[in-house]
Amino acid sequence: AQSVTQLGSHVSVSEGALVLLRCNYSSSVPPYLFWYVQYPNQGLQLLLKYTSAATLVKGINGFEAEFKKSETSFHLTKPSAHMSDAAEYFCAVSGTSYDKVIFGPGTSLSVIP
Amino acid sequence: GAGVSQSPRYKVTKRGQDVALRCDPISGHVSLYWYRQALGQGPEFLTYFNYEAQQDKSGLPNDRFSAERPEGSISTLTIQRTEQRDSAMYRCASSSRDRSSGANVLTFGAGSRLTVL
């Protein structure tokens, strides 16, 4: 079975500061890992995905995430926060390509001018 | 269609009534998922289909909830004898397989917001 935990339900950063959103996963098989973003009153959209091709994954809007098997982590980072990054971020895991996708509880990111 | 379409977008019903929520996935997508999302929470898995076969319904809260996808395209999530605790956003997603990796990439619809009075 797969599961996801996200440490910190709410993170605040200053504009221009580093963004770090934490995700740890549990999976009985090599996982696929995802980050989705949800802007206010909108649906979820894919930010990036890990598929075992490379441990450092680059996504849209300058975000990237690094898969660390030894730490069972897939933390999301961005070097410099923009006001437009304020949103809810969800980490998700899937065991195989035809398996269900399980989401974490989410982290709400606020960016302070 | 171009995206995942859900209807109705908003549904207000009285406790005890049955409701049906519809999802029209992206054409050609094999898999279809239903999630429930409470305010400020992550999407909670309910059930999913590959083609017309229901693969996993372990997330359905109780036997008042059911889903079908009879022709492997449009799906309906039905909630019988609704209760106030069923109030939430119900999201549908369809999935394509990433061609290079096989990863299950979900495309979400806008959701159906259910309010049970």
Side-chain angles (χ1 to χ4, degrees):
Chain A
Q2 287 75 39
S3 67
V4 174
T5 58
Q6 292 183 242
L7 184 62
S9 59
H10 189 90
V11 171
S12 290
V13 299
S14 298
E15 193 174 14
L18 172 71
V19 176
L20 171 60
L21 305 182
R22 299 179 186 275
C23 171
N24 289 88
Y25 70 92
S26 172
S27 179
S28 54
V29 298
Y32 292 114
L33 294 162
F34 311 86
W35 277 98
Y36 284 80
V37 61
Q38 185 174 29
Y39 297 102
N41 299 315
Q42 294 187 26
L44 288 84
Q45 60 185 84
L46 182 70
L47 203 53
L48 51 78
K49 62 182 184 292
Y50 166 75
T51 62
S52 78
T55 56
L56 183 62
V57 180
K58 294 186 183 300
I60 61 173
N61 301 335
F63 284 94
E64 61 182 36
E66 185 173 9
F67 172 72
K68 292 187 177 181
K69 183 178 179 180
S70 61
E71 299 177 7
T72 61
S73 69
F74 190 57
H75 301 332
L76 182 71
T77 60
K78 182 174 180 178
S80 176
H82 294 170
M83 296 298 294
S84 60
D85 295 327
E88 193 87 16
Y89 292 81
F90 298 98
C91 184
V93 63
S94 173
T96 69
S97 61
Y98 285 94
D99 200 359
K100 60 188 176 185
V101 181
I102 301 300
F103 285 80
T107 297
S108 178
L109 175 66
S110 298
V111 181
I112 304 166
Chain B
V4 178
S5 178
Q6 291 188 246
S7 62
R9 288 292 312 277
Y10 302 92
K11 177 70 176 179
V12 180
T13 190
K14 292 183 178 179
R15 186 179 57 186
Q17 297 295 306
D18 297 350
V19 297
L21 307 177
R22 173 188 163 117
C23 175
D24 192 351
I26 292 174
S27 178
H29 277 193
V30 169
S31 300
L32 185 148
Y33 294 75
W34 283 100
Y35 291 88
R36 178 169 69 176
Q37 187 176 20
L39 196 63
Q41 303 290 320
E44 174 193 8
F45 171 79
L46 296 178
T47 185
Y48 85 105
F49 297 81
N50 286 335
Y51 301 102
E52 73 282 358
Q54 191 169 21
Q55 298 294 318
D56 188 326
K57 56 181 182 179
S58 62
L60 295 177
N62 50 60
D63 60 7
R64 295 187 296 106
F65 288 73
S66 63
E68 63 175 9
R69 194 188 185 197
E71 298 180 359
S73 180
I74 292 170
S75 176
T76 302
L77 176 70
T78 301
I79 309 172
Q80 295 179 313
R81 305 180 302 282
T82 52
E83 301 178 4
Q84 287 184 330
R85 59 178 172 159
D86 300 333
S87 296
M89 177 72 82
Y90 289 84
R91 295 194 185 275
C92 174
S94 66
S95 167
S96 63
R97 298 291 177 275
D98 180 78
R99 289 188 177 184
S100 59
S101 68
N104 205 359
V105 178
L106 301 184
T107 301
F108 281 85
S112 292
R113 182 169 294 284
L114 174 66
T115 301
V116 182
L117 302 177

